[in-house]
């Protein structure tokens, strides 16, 4: 019989992951464009950030807005920090590393605390 490639409960999280990747890409292009005065960089930034918000809005159909926004913003922060170290040669001090670790811990707590409709009905 036919099997679905993606379970319905995983799709919103994949959309959210796509939104996070687009946010990281868009914000990275913002940094590139600001440093090089490239109008093309600003166009890529605008397109990637618009797609990020669109994918986030689709994910909100199944994930609560507080959880989705926290995950989107938190993982975007961590991802963008990694990109800034890797691509732009920025350095992190121990306080920044500790803050990123605490942000990830907070994201885990928020995400694990989300209730689902099936659980709420029980």
């Amino acid at each position: 019989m036919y099997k679905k490639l993606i379970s319905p409960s995983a799709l919103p999280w994949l959309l959210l992951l796509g939104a996070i990747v687009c946010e990281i890409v868009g914000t990275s292009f913002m940094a590139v464009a600001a440093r090089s005065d490239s109008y093309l960089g600003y166009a890529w930034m605008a397109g990637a950030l618009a797609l990020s918000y669109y994918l986030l809005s689709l994910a909100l159909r199944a994930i609560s807005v507080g959880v989705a926004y926290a995950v989107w913003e938190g993982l975007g922060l961590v991802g963008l920090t990694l990109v800034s170290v890797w691509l732009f040669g920025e350095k992190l001090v121990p306080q920044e590393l500790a803050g990123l670790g605490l942000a990830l811990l907070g994201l885990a707590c928020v995400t694990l605390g989300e209730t689902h409709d099936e659980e709420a009905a029980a």
Side-chain angles (χ1 to χ4, degrees):
M1 221 45 220
Y2 171 75
K3 283 187 174 182
K4 291 185 178 181
L5 293 176
I6 300 172
S7 75
S9 62
L11 184 59
W13 290 100
L14 290 174
L15 290 169
L16 183 57
L17 182 61
I20 293 165
V21 169
C22 289
E23 179 199 12
I24 293 168
V25 169
T27 309
S28 297
F29 271 109
M30 181 190 308
V32 169
R35 293 174 183 173
S36 67
D37 290 328
S38 166
Y39 291 111
L40 184 59
Y42 287 117
W44 278 102
M45 173 200 74
L49 291 177
L51 182 57
S52 176
Y53 276 98
Y54 177 69
L55 294 173
L56 177 62
S57 72
L58 294 178
L60 291 177
R61 293 178 178 174
I63 303 170
S64 68
V65 68
V67 171
Y69 188 77
V71 171
W72 179 74
E73 212 37 63
L75 290 182
L77 168 73
V78 172
L80 188 58
T81 301
L82 295 174
V83 166
S84 70
V85 168
W86 180 55
L87 285 181
F88 303 123
E90 297 177 4
K91 305 288 184 216
L92 295 177
V93 297
Q95 294 92 329
E96 291 170 321
L97 290 171
L100 290 172
L102 290 171
L104 288 174
L105 180 63
L107 284 175
C109 291
V110 167
T111 304
L112 292 173
E114 181 185 31
T115 59
H116 302 281
D117 290 337
E118 302 87 32
E119 295 170 2

